[in-house]
Amino acid sequence: MFWFVLPLLHVVLPLRSAHAYNNGMGKTPPMGWNSWCTDSLCNLLGKDPCTEKEVQTTVVAMVEHGLLELGYDYVALDDCWSTTERDADGHLQADTTKFPNGMKAVADFVHARGMKFGLYTSVGDETCKGKRPGSYAHFADDAKTLTAWGVDMIKMDHCGNKHNVSDQELYGTMSAALNQTDRPVLFSLCSWGLDNVWEWGANIAQMYRIQMDHLPFWKLSGKRSAGAGYGQGTYDIIEWMATLQPSKWTTQYGWMDPDFLMTEYFTMDFIGSRTEYTFWSLWSAPLLISTDLRKLASEDDKMRIITNKEVIAINQDPLGTGGDRIVNNTDGTQVWYKPLANGDVCVVLYNSGTNNEQKRDLLVSVHWSVLPAWAGNVSLSVKVRDLWEGLD
Ligand code: GLA
């Protein structure tokens, strides 16, 4: 797969249908780390080990590896931090066997290193794992509790929702409750893509999940669509995003969320991880890496993927649009395309059969005239740069 970028005279900006909810958070796609897939193969191994120590050591590793400097500034805990009961006054509380000093102390530690802190809850009565309390009927109280601890990002999952209320209304209530607090919070809406969330998610949240969980594999046999199956591989998500057409919905302060990056996992080979990172960058998707960053040394190939400044810049591009598939050949080769703020364009040449030995050597090509920004201009001189190889 290659990237190239062409300086062009005219770029036609895509029409936007989403209206972003700008509360000051998430102007560019958030970058950072999340605990969910780090310890237990995204819960496939059933362990629940997140602790204060894990957060601290992860923060230290992120700073040491220069990840914070590159923009990875969120550190977020998923479904693992609270006890199974609310406290006597009905507030959420930390599991003190894992977080002996409470969640505010964890937030303080994260903030002291210049990073932002995220926590998780669910829109229904229970979270997805361990029957922890969800926020249903407690939206305002939970918004106050979490923001009082200094939380900067709240992910709200879809589990435990037995009530006959629409997702738009439920998540909208939490969004409004967060807005009532004095703290700007990045609201990460995780309704698994149900109810065509791409049509309304950006009105109330800064990022919204567009499908079930991403698991650390290339291709899974389950259905590829909203709310279907337990999880999708990287290949499946790429196909699903092609159907959704990211440029139609992606907007600053309202990012489509194809779920976490699985970078460090051994179940993802180098090409798989680089392909994953390529597409998440092309879509302007949140770059939240949910694997053990402490295990990556600076010289690792996988570390090179997540520290490529030019590719990160594609993800953080101020135009804030998502790339679309523009060519889908029957041999599995594809071309994807995204305009950038400075008039350059980003093109991905993708061989979707990269985990199939026979297809590994397929040549992917595209004619200039297929690129929308070409716009019939026949006398254009272009500069092409391969961002992964760093070569003009
Ligand atoms: C659901 C979500 C995941 C994760 C788990 C936690 O499966 O989709 O991202 O948050 O719940 O239990």
Side-chain angles (χ1 to χ4, degrees), residues 312-330:
I312 293 174
I314 298 289
N315 174 265
Q316 299 283 303
D317 185 74
L319 188 59
T321 189
D324 292 332
R325 180 162 70 190
I326 57 169
V327 178
N328 186 16
N329 295 313
T330 50

Side-chain angles (χ1 to χ4, degrees), residues 144-159:
K144 276 190 212 139
T145 304
L146 297 173
T147 52
W149 290 338
V151 165
D152 307 289
M153 167 194 266
I154 293 177
K155 168 174 169 180
M156 183 169 253
D157 212 341
H158 196 258
C159 277

Side-chain angles (χ1 to χ4, degrees), residues 34 36-37 42-43 78-80 120 127-130 132 155 157-159 190 192 209 211-214 230 259-260:
N34 179 290
W36 177 243
C37 289
C42 311
N43 197 38
D78 211 275
D79 192 355
C80 67
Y120 162 105
T127 69
C128 297
K129 188 175 176 191
R132 297 179 170 99
K155 168 174 169 180
D157 212 341
H158 196 258
C159 277
C190 178
W192 309 327
R209 264 276 287 284
Q211 92 297 316
M212 292 304 288
D213 300 17
H214 179 18
Y230 177 66
D259 206 5
F260 304 126

